[in-house]
Amino acid sequence: MAGQLIPIDEARSHVLERCSALIAVAADSLPGRFPASVSGAVLAGDVISAEDVPPFANSAVDGYAVRVIDVSEASGANPVALRVTGEIAAGSGASCVVQGGCAVRIMTGAPTPTGADAVVMVEDTAFGGDKSILDGSQSVSVTKSARVGDGIRGVGDDVCRGDVVFTAGTAITPAVAAVLASVNARTTLVHPRPRVAVLSTGDELVDDGSELAPGQIRESNRTMLVGLVNESGAIAIDHGIVRDDEKLLESVLRRAANECDAIVTSGGVSMGDYDVVKAVLSRIADMRWMQIAIKPAKPFAFGLLTNDHRRAVPVFGLPGNPVSSLVSFELLARPALRRMAGHREAAWDRPLVTAIADQPLARRRDGKVHYQRVVARFAADGRVHVESVRAQASHQLAATALANGIAVVPDGDGVPAGGEVSTILLVT
Ligand code: AMP
Ligand code: MG
């Protein structure tokens, strides 16, 4: 079942080759209402706008729509009086004309009236009359000259009809979702966010706050993994703690495979003793049980579980030791989930930088790559500097919890103080 140690790159390729982007659907078929429904999804096709944004020329300021020729000589010392013949609010569809020697009061976003070729902002005018009278008997003093187009936002200034606004693979951030709304891209194709079942296995685990019986520990990995799955952009579905019971585990896994796009388990994948997770997954899924040449997170399992709809659902079997679970998720599950989400390859991984070790990152030669958890910071020299969180054992999550980086220390004698070390930054 378990072979010799394999390089991390081999494990990663094995996993990534078997995880592909979820089938694309129309944006407006996602649960919820467009455009909020597409936030966090990834574009599966280019978005070509069918509309101009803005759809009509409109005022960029609150002020007065004027003819430039009337105000070309205006200044504070030489104000120009124009008769106010109308008012246009945002949302107004009324047509209106600015005649020579006249001005129309206008609000930001209101369509600019015919005849006007600039809008003078209210700060560059003075009006002492009655704002409700719009028959031309009231006048406004313009104290600044204007050039053609001043204060006006033209049709298509932001997006022109026919423009490729975004290309396939673009992550739909809140701002991208807003642009999709602005061009009404309801039928654009998107990869839905993967739904990921998260479950913990082990008879020793409790999560109900009760007094610990001998041999019991408090369950903690699920909270972390649910958070990490959500942070990766996928949607975690908590499947709870599953007891070491073959029938129960099989039914939870089968249900998860029917309802979700991927499954993340924690516990029960180590070498050695017989384990329920191994027994069940080996029987119902096409699994590869790996021993990876890394520390922590040496044991790892990956496979495909075919569900009732004949869909092969990826299963990530993470080790139970909390720090191993985290590192395993970061190195193997996260990039695969990002691939399933439809992200471009450059966005599968966290950023990797070459950092300076402020203190030695000690290790012994053992044929493995060590992933040491560090605190990383930008220093005055413009470089990222790292310091070990110290407690580096795979059960010491408290120290790792404060890390914001993982230093990749290759096999050898470690990194001396001042030496360079590749560091994964735990930021998105
Ligand atoms: P395993 O991978 O199941 O052999 O577990 C390795 C170690 O991690 C054991 O000490 C377990 O008790 C512990 N462990 C397993 N699952 C969890 C969990 N969900 N939360 C906290 N500790 C766990
Ligand atoms: Mg266990």
Side-chain angles (χ1 to χ4, degrees):
M1 202 142 64
Q4 65 198 102
L5 296 189
I6 60 168
I8 181 68
D9 288 347
E10 185 185 326
R12 189 185 140 91
S13 306
H14 179 88
V15 169
L16 285 170
E17 278 164 18
R18 287 162 181 77
C19 294
S20 46
L22 299 184
I23 292 169
V25 297
D28 60 1
S29 70
L30 291 176
R33 263 170 76 99
F34 179 85
S37 53
V38 294
S39 257
V42 176
L43 290 173
D46 295 353
V47 175
I48 298 167
S49 181
E51 298 183 1
D52 291 315
V53 183
F56 52 87
N58 67 93
S59 182
V61 293
D62 292 328
Y64 290 85
V66 299
R67 291 171 176 257
V68 164
I69 197 162
D70 288 339
V71 298
S72 56
E73 304 289 304
S75 69
N78 177 34
V80 171
L82 298 173
R83 293 188 295 117
V84 180
T85 57
E87 185 175 272
I88 318 174
S92 162
S95 60
C96 163
V97 182
V98 176
Q99 312 280 2
C102 299
V104 164
R105 189 175 298 119
I106 190 165
M107 312 307 153
T108 305
T112 45
T114 311
D117 50 10
V119 176
V120 180
M121 67 169 130
V122 75
E123 290 86 340
D124 295 325
T125 65
F127 182 83
D130 182 341
K131 280 199 168 169
S132 65
I133 301 172
L134 300 165
D135 61 3
S137 64
Q138 313 277 305
S139 64
V140 61
S141 289
V142 176
T143 56
K144 201 172 172 189
S145 65
R147 285 168 306 173
V148 172
D150 280 359
I152 295 177
R153 306 189 281 211
V155 175
D157 258 5
D158 188 10
V159 178
C160 282
R161 188 200 310 203
D163 276 358
V164 177
V165 196
F166 302 119
T167 54
T170 300
I172 306 178
T173 59
V176 170
V179 174
L180 295 178
S182 78
V183 301
N184 198 31
R186 286 164 189 271
T187 54
T188 198
L189 288 178
V190 300
H191 296 290
R193 295 166 65 193
R195 290 163 50 87
V196 182
V198 177
L199 56 104
S200 284
T201 63
D203 272 347
E204 74 276 32
L205 307 174
V206 290
D207 67 350
D208 60 2
S210 61
E211 191 92 347
L212 293 177
Q216 291 186 327
I217 60 163
R218 302 208 185 273
E219 200 285 327
S220 58
N221 289 351
R222 225 166 79 240
T223 302
M224 175 175 74
L225 292 170
V226 162
L228 290 172
V229 164
N230 286 330
E231 198 194 80
S232 79
I235 300 168
I237 315 284
D238 189 351
H239 280 62
I241 299 174
V242 185
R243 301 272 148 240
D244 287 334
D245 170 309
E246 288 200 23
K247 267 212 173 96
L248 181 63
L249 182 61
E250 176 171 349
S251 81
V252 174
L253 287 169
R254 288 202 186 279
R255 181 162 52 87
N258 284 335
E259 293 169 3
C260 297
D261 302 303
I263 300 172
V264 172
T265 69
S266 115
V269 296
S270 316
M271 271 262 275
D273 42 27
Y274 170 87
D275 204 295
V276 168
V277 178
K278 265 190 198 150
V280 172
L281 277 175
S282 299
R283 181 159 49 74
I284 68 173
D286 179 14
M287 297 297 294
R288 179 167 173 192
W289 303 89
M290 304 179 213
Q291 297 287 311
I292 309 174
I294 60 174
K295 184 180 174 185
K298 181 175 69 159
F300 173 72
F302 176 82
L304 297 171
L305 171 52
T306 303
N307 70 8
D308 295 345
H309 319 293
R310 300 194 161 279
R311 200 160 45 84
V313 176
V315 181
F316 302 87
L318 311 183
N321 272 313
V323 176
S324 306
S325 235
L326 181 145
V327 170
S328 197
F329 181 88
E330 285 293 337
L331 300 183
L332 297 153
R334 190 178 186 280
L337 295 180
R338 305 266 302 166
R339 181 174 200 179
M340 291 176 72
H343 287 286
R344 303 185 177 113
E345 188 168 349
W348 293 350
D349 291 301
R350 305 264 202 187
L352 184 70
V353 297
T354 303
I356 310 285
D358 278 351
Q359 274 147 20
L361 297 173
R363 58 158 296 166
R364 278 198 300 257
R365 197 175 283 278
D366 60 4
K368 297 179 198 159
V369 178
H370 288 198
Y371 289 83
Q372 297 197 10
R373 281 79 60 213
V374 294
V375 173
R377 67 184 171 92
F378 279 101
D381 60 1
R383 302 287 304 264
V384 174
H385 287 238
V386 297
E387 224 175 278
S388 169
V389 299
R390 312 225 178 268
Q392 291 282 340
S394 62
H395 62 292
Q396 293 172 311
L397 187 62
T400 281
L402 294 176
N404 61 354
I406 301 178
V408 186
V409 185
D411 195 20
D413 305 322
V415 180
E420 291 189 331
V421 63
S422 288
T423 301
I424 299 163
L425 297 181
L426 299 177
V427 295
T428 37

